[in-house]
């Protein structure tokens, strides 16, 4: 390969003028001929035995050119980009020129990484919300733990009541006709859960194990099944069993069972501390988000759309891989959600744009700060990646470009510099009133 010229005539674009030497191209054409000739049948010759000159005479001299060029291009373009020193951020726009005694001439146009200007990255301002766990939040967290540790008790001496867990058989009909999905046996239903049609659960209350009775209800007008909307229905119900959850007492024994503490007071204090720690981390994350937003505001760059497109596509590929790990294909997901690749890409675009802008701003700031990456930094990051993905450190080294790892390390260091130099003011958390939340949602 010979890189003849590099042109920067368009903003954020570079044009590479390349020549593939005739000897290299001819050698590749010969390889293609040898590989493909065995499948070519020519009258007067046994299959695969026709001379190259005969094949070229019948199909044209350039019959093997396209395959030869496609085979050579990846290495040729990679070498040309490397030699040019350009930081390309797109696939090339290729134009093949003459194929003559010198070889093959071609031009490759790439979008390149834009020039970035960061006006300020130190002393950025952000507000941090300080939130303390309320007594109600602590009690609610303990109650959830209490319910997870409840034991189920069978009821044999009374009728069903609210909050009981019932075991029922039921068979529903409308106008005397059974309907799809209206029957089940051994169904577990918690009374008062609201999981069945309004009025259904209330009519089980007061019945005892072994009772068989009718439940009369009317399907809501907005019910999902068209044939049942607003229709009166009768369910024949048999009550097979009743259970209830017995919650443990909130005492020292409970604390010992659910934590490493010996007393309930110690356990409760730990619950509050953990909620406060969660709120503190949330506040720190919000501050970081605000500081990055401020950094982006202080950054100027004419970013090619292809960078946003590639980021959105990478996010989509990552999403597809995560779904595949759960046994869900992207095609299946789109079929059941009514989504398309175009819609998903459109939804991902704002996040993709922010991520590209953030990366460019941090890279430029890190350059201005002259941040360096040591061997120890690289080893620590590689080991962290290996642990996250359940792989060996050596495998990470072989799979991931060290330049990309180094760039990530620099960006992380830059974020810490921005945070440590920022002007953070604190404000107390004020809980929104229900009506304010409703107004905000409506807007």
């Amino acid at each position: 390969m010979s890189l003849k010229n590099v042109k920067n005539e368009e903003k954020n674009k570079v044009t590479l003028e390349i020549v593939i030497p005739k000897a290299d191209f001819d050698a590749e054409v010969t390889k293609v001929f040898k590989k493909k000739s065995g499948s070519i049948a020519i009258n007067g010759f046994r299959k695969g035995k026709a001379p190259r000159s005969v094949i070229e005479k019948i199909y044209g001299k350039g019959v093997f050119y396209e395959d030869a060029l496609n085979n050579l291009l990846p290495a040729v373009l990679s070498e040309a980009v490397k030699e040019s020193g350009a930081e390309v951020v797109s696939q090339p726009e290729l134009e093949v020129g003459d194929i003559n005694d010198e070889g093959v001439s071609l031009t490759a146009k790439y979008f390149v990484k834009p020039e970035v200007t960061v006006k300020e990255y130190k002393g950025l301002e952000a507000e941090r919300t300080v939130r303390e766990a309320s007594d109600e939040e602590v009690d609610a967290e303990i109650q959830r733990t209490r319910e997870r540790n409840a034991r189920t008790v069978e009821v044999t001496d009374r009728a069903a009541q609210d909050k009981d867990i019932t075991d029922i058989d039921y068979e529903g009909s409308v106008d005397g006709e059974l309907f799809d999905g209206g029957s089940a046996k051994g169904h577990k239903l918690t009374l008062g859960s609201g999981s069945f049609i309004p009025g259904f659960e209330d009519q089980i209350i007061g019945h005892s194990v072994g009772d068989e009775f009718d439940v009369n209800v009317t399907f809501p007008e907005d019910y999902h099944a068209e044939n049942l909307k607003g229709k009166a229905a009768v369910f024949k119900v048999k009550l097979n069993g009743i259970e209830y959850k017995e919650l443990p007492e909130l005492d020292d024994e409970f604390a010992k069972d659910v934590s490493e503490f010996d007393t309930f007071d110690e356990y409760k204090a730990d619950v509050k501390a953990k909620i406060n720690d969660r709120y503190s981390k949330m506040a720190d994350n919000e501050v970081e988000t605000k500081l990055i937003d401020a950094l982006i505001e202080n950054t100027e760059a004419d970013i090619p759309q292809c960078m946003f497109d590639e980021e959105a596509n990478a996010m989509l590929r990552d999403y597809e891989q995560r779904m595949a790990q759960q046994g869900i294909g992207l095609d299946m997901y789109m079929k059941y959600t009514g989504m398309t690749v175009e819609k998903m890409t459109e939804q991902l675009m704002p996040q993709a744009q922010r991520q590209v802008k953030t990366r460019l701003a941090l890279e430029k700031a890190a350059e201005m700060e002259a941040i360096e990456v040591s061997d120890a930094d690289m080893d620590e990051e590689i080991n962290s990646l290996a642990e996250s993905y359940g792989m060996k450190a050596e495998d990470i080294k072989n799979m991931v470009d060290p330049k990309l790892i180094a760039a990530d390390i620099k960006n992380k260091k830059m974020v810490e510099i921005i945070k440590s130099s920022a002007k953070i003011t604190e404000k107390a958390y004020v809980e929104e009133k229900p009506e304010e939340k409703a107004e905000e949602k409506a807007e």
Side-chain angles (χ1 to χ4, degrees), residues 371-373 377 409-417:
I371 292 176
E372 295 184 355
V373 176
D377 292 331
I409 295 171
K410 287 183 180 181
N411 288 351
K412 288 177 182 177
K413 288 187 175 187
M414 193 61 240
V415 169
E416 292 307 312
I417 290 173

Side-chain angles (χ1 to χ4, degrees), residues 269-393:
D270 182 65
V271 170
K272 184 171 185 176
K274 286 177 177 175
I275 296 174
N276 284 337
D277 182 60
R278 187 164 68 242
Y279 284 146
S280 179
K281 288 177 180 176
M282 286 171 56
D284 290 342
N285 289 337
E286 288 172 2
V287 165
E288 184 173 318
T289 298
K290 291 174 182 177
L291 291 175
I292 294 299
D293 286 341
L295 175 67
I296 291 173
E297 284 294 317
N298 281 339
T299 301
E300 295 177 356
D302 187 4
I303 305 172
Q305 180 61 39
C306 64
M307 292 187 72
F308 299 139
D309 293 339
E310 177 53 34
E311 188 74 18
N313 290 334
M315 292 167 65
L316 185 59
R317 290 193 297 271
D318 181 64
Y319 186 66
E320 183 176 8
Q321 288 174 358
R322 283 187 280 115
M323 285 197 299
Q325 291 171 355
Q326 300 173 26
I328 304 171
L330 185 61
D331 290 342
M332 182 187 297
Y333 172 80
M334 290 191 293
K335 177 181 177 181
Y336 286 106
T337 60
M339 293 292 288
T340 62
V341 170
E342 290 73 20
K343 286 182 181 178
M344 291 181 72
T345 304
E346 184 180 349
Q347 288 183 357
L348 292 169
M349 188 56 70
Q351 185 182 349
Q353 290 175 335
R354 187 178 189 277
Q355 287 184 186
V356 171
K357 291 176 181 179
T358 299
R359 187 165 60 245
L360 289 174
L362 288 174
E363 287 174 355
K364 184 61 179 180
E367 179 188 321
M368 296 166 68
E369 194 68 19
I371 292 176
E372 295 184 355
V373 176
S374 66
D375 291 341
D377 292 331
M378 289 291 288
D379 289 341
E380 183 180 350
E381 183 69 11
I382 289 170
N383 289 333
S384 176
L385 288 170
E387 185 177 346
S388 297
Y389 290 100
M391 299 172 64
K392 295 179 180 178

